[in-house]
């Protein structure tokens, strides 16, 4: 839910792609955050994609929509 909220803020122009990358990087390395059971790998992959634009490509509005659409409501 938090990833989707962050992506919606990016899509609406409230935050930048750099903001998303910093946030995802901070969340990605934390062991004290639980993910939806059965979706741990998917969420970890999305966090990696979002946190490493130099490796995975820049975040665009279209890409943000695709990622948000692949998340559990």
């Amino acid at each position: 839910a938090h990833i989707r909220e962050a992506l919606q803020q990016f899509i609406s122009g409230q935050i930048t792609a750099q903001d998303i990358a910093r946030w995802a990087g901070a969340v990605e390395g934390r062991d004290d955050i639980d993910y939806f059971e059965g979706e741990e790998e998917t969420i970890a992959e999305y966090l990696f994609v979002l946190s490493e634009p130099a490796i995975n490509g820049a975040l665009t509005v279209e890409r943000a929509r695709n990622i948000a659409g692949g998340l559990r409501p």
Side-chain angles (χ1 to χ4, degrees):
H2 294 291
I3 296 173
R4 182 182 293 107
E5 290 172 21
L7 291 171
Q8 290 300 333
Q9 289 180 4
F10 169 75
I11 291 165
S12 69
Q14 297 173 342
I15 61 176
T16 67
Q18 187 176 17
D19 293 330
I20 291 281
R22 275 189 243 130
W23 171 81
V27 172
E28 182 183 30
R30 292 189 52 182
D31 295 331
D32 62 329
I33 297 176
D34 292 327
Y35 303 146
F36 287 121
E37 188 174 328
E39 295 190 10
E40 297 89 351
E41 287 183 29
T42 301
I43 293 171
E45 180 180 337
Y46 284 148
L47 288 172
F48 173 70
V49 166
L50 294 171
S51 69
E52 297 291 344
I55 296 171
N56 300 305
L59 181 63
T60 63
V61 169
E62 180 181 353
R63 191 172 195 191
R65 286 185 178 132
N66 288 339
I67 292 171
L71 294 168
R72 181 182 188 179

